[in-house]
Amino acid sequence: MKKSRFTIVLLCGIFSLVFLATVEIIWAVDTYKNMRNAYRNQIESIFEEATWQYVTRFPNGDYTLPNIERLHTILKEELRISGLECQFMISILAPIGDNFEPIWEISNESLSERKIDFNKSFPPLTIRLTVDDPHTTIIASMRLIVILQMLSIVVLTITFIYLLHTLFRAKSLEQIRRDLTHNITHELKTPIAAAYAATDALRNSESIANNETLRNDYLDMSISSLRRLGDMVEEILRTSTEEFEKQKLNIERCNVEEIVTEVCTAIDLKYKEREVEWRIDIAQGIVVSADRLYLHAMLSALMDNAIKYCVSKPIVTLFVSNSNDNSTIRIADNGIGIAPREQRRVFDKFYRVSQGNRHDTKGYGLGLYYVRNIVERHGGKIAMRSALGKGTEFEITLPIYD
């Protein structure tokens, strides 16, 4: 996916989530207001009806206020019938001075009474009803809807994040695939070109073909190139097929010092011109439970990386010690190091640290993947510490031979 298209998808997704959340919030607030107004209107209607039942009027226009407990009883029954069982208080107010003061009131808990004599000429009285705030009741009735709305938003957000993760992963895998194809194509060209040139020279040049020394040199060049091609194919097949992970380990008693000596000797021959400096500290008699072939390959891969990714004179430090039931192997170098953002992925299959369009360092991103799998199949652990320009250190823990 192109960067511009990916950006558009990201912005559209974020906008959709924000829009949905905003609509849900507006709907919830509007629903709350409507329910509150409906509650208020229903209370007012019930109160008005109960008041008319409470006040007694005579044919001559006189009226009387019976005991306030009767109004309380009427209201309580009306609210119960309407399904609005709530706490309330009734007050009868009379103008006293500049204010209206309660002369008679009753709540669910108590009755307060002030006796005042009055007749038709007495100033108008006011009946007031005070009820509990319906906020809690309304929220409780909306709880299920609000929870479902929140869950829907959470599910959509998780889905969107997972989609972004998948897109990022797909984009990264596509980049890895392109880099791998580019690296393999570049590295295969060199030995193929060398073998082709040597074979073509032997075929078309009689002076080379008739000269035994030159002929052998060109044949050796072809054989070397073909062997290199074979090694490349073998390395890819070894770690890219399921057979590697299914192959049974031949666990035996392995002397770490002996294997390290073999690996260092082989690498010294391979990188003779680099003049590798070894700093080795191995406790005497350390023996681990491992497949000797795989342990040799694992140490070779790590030491080979330590030299390949060093621009100055390579200095490889190897320290081996015992701790409880495990042996710890530390391999450190003075190479270019790995950026923090790259470190969490260096053990992924086919992943290579970004180096632009450089091919001076060969590889397919299989070495550390291969090492990690070997360590884990042996029941061990591998960790890495690195800093740009300061080198890299790998720490491997393997079980002691028992």
Side-chain angles (χ1 to χ4, degrees):
M1 181 182 290
K2 294 182 179 179
K3 185 176 180 180
S4 58
R5 189 177 301 173
F6 182 81
T7 303
I8 292 174
V9 171
L10 177 62
L11 293 177
C12 288
I14 294 175
F15 175 78
S16 300
L17 286 176
V18 172
F19 178 77
L20 176 63
T22 303
V23 170
E24 297 285 0
I25 292 173
I26 293 175
W27 178 88
V29 172
D30 188 60
T31 301
Y32 174 83
K33 289 181 178 179
N34 291 336
M35 293 181 69
R36 189 180 180 90
N37 290 335
Y39 184 89
R40 178 187 180 90
N41 293 335
Q42 190 174 7
I43 290 290
E44 288 179 350
S45 176
I46 293 173
F47 181 54
E48 184 177 358
E49 179 66 25
T51 303
W52 278 101
Q53 296 180 37
Y54 165 65
V55 177
T56 303
R57 290 173 172 77
F58 298 99
N60 60 359
D62 294 338
Y63 61 87
T64 181
L65 294 178
N67 192 295
I68 196 173
E69 291 179 343
R70 179 186 171 192
L71 178 58
H72 182 275
T73 303
I74 295 172
L75 265 176
K76 186 175 182 179
E77 182 64 18
E78 291 292 335
L79 291 173
R80 186 190 66 79
I81 294 174
S82 302
L84 301 176
E85 297 186 19
C86 58
Q87 299 294 324
F88 64 91
M89 181 175 67
I90 302 171
S91 303
I92 296 179
L93 309 177
I96 300 176
D98 296 332
N99 300 318
F100 278 82
E101 298 290 342
I103 61 173
W104 209 0
E105 60 185 18
I106 184 173
S107 66
N108 288 12
E109 293 83 14
S110 61
L111 173 65
S112 174
E113 183 178 353
R114 290 179 58 189
K115 294 182 178 179
I116 298 180
D117 296 329
F118 61 93
N119 52 35
K120 285 182 59 175
S121 62
F122 194 88
L125 299 178
T126 301
I127 302 176
R128 180 177 66 189
L129 173 65
T130 305
V131 297
D132 285 344
D133 192 328
H135 174 78
T136 304
T137 305
I138 295 175
I139 292 298
S141 64
M142 295 177 59
R143 184 179 303 160
L144 180 60
I145 298 177
V146 172
I147 291 175
L148 290 177
Q149 288 179 335
M150 293 177 64
L151 284 177
S152 65
I153 293 176
V154 170
V155 170
L156 288 174
T157 303
I158 293 175
T159 304
F160 179 66
I161 293 174
Y162 179 76
L163 175 62
L164 287 182
H165 174 75
T166 304
L167 290 176
F168 276 118
R169 186 67 176 171
K171 186 178 180 181
S172 177
L173 290 176
E174 177 64 18
Q175 183 64 39
I176 291 174
R177 185 193 64 79
R178 287 199 299 266
D179 291 344
L180 177 65
T181 303
H182 198 58
N183 290 334
I184 292 177
T185 302
H186 178 85
E187 293 194 25
L188 291 179
K189 280 182 179 180
T190 302
I192 290 174
Y196 177 83
T199 305
D200 186 67
L202 288 171
R203 180 181 181 181
N204 298 315
S205 176
E206 293 184 2
S207 59
I208 296 177
N210 295 330
N211 188 309
E212 184 178 356
T213 302
L214 290 176
R215 184 173 65 247
N216 289 337
D217 287 341
Y218 276 83
L219 288 174
D220 289 341
M221 184 186 301
S222 297
I223 292 173
S224 176
S225 299
L226 292 173
R227 184 180 293 114
R228 184 180 173 190
L229 278 175
D231 291 341
M232 291 179 184
V233 174
E234 181 65 25
E235 181 182 357
I236 295 174
L237 291 178
R238 180 182 60 189
T239 54
S240 63
T241 64
E242 295 182 357
E243 296 302 320
F244 162 62
E245 297 179 357
K246 294 180 179 179
Q247 189 170 353
K248 186 177 180 180
L249 297 176
N250 181 26
I251 301 298
E252 58 182 314
R253 184 180 186 273
C254 296
N255 187 294
V256 176
E257 187 174 6
E258 292 179 2
I259 297 178
V260 168
T261 301
E262 294 175 6
V263 173
C264 292
T265 302
I267 290 181
D268 272 334
L269 292 175
K270 182 178 180 180
Y271 295 101
K272 187 175 181 179
E273 72 284 354
R274 299 291 304 273
E275 297 181 352
V276 180
E277 179 181 340
W278 300 97
R279 298 177 181 177
I280 300 175
D281 182 6
I282 303 177
Q284 188 174 3
I286 292 184
V287 178
V288 297
S289 298
D291 184 307
R292 186 180 184 87
L293 178 63
Y294 280 122
L295 181 59
H296 189 286
M298 176 188 69
L299 294 176
S300 296
L302 291 176
M303 294 183 187
D304 188 75
N305 278 353
I307 297 170
K308 282 198 305 184
Y309 295 99
C310 181
V311 294
S312 58
K313 179 182 177 179
I315 301 175
V316 181
T317 302
L318 190 144
F319 175 80
V320 184
S321 63
N322 278 349
S323 175
N324 297 327
D325 295 331
N326 297 311
S327 291
T328 301
I329 303 173
R330 293 189 182 92
I331 300 175
D333 60 56
N334 62 330
I336 59 177
I338 303 173
R341 63 185 180 85
E342 307 265 17
Q343 292 180 18
R344 64 185 180 87
R345 300 193 59 194
V346 294
F347 293 107
D348 291 351
K349 195 173 185 179
F350 298 125
Y351 184 79
R352 296 193 70 200
V353 176
S354 303
Q355 293 182 328
N357 194 25
R358 290 177 50 194
H359 296 278
D360 52 339
T361 303
K362 310 299 182 184
Y364 309 109
L366 293 172
L368 292 180
Y369 166 79
Y370 180 68
V371 169
R372 185 191 64 180
N373 274 271
I374 291 176
V375 173
E376 291 179 350
R377 290 182 64 193
H378 281 79
K381 297 179 180 179
I382 183 169
M384 182 192 68
R385 290 179 289 274
S386 183
L388 285 176
K390 297 182 180 180
T392 303
E393 177 183 283
F394 290 93
E395 180 178 299
I396 299 169
T397 303
L398 294 174
I400 294 176
Y401 182 80
D402 185 0

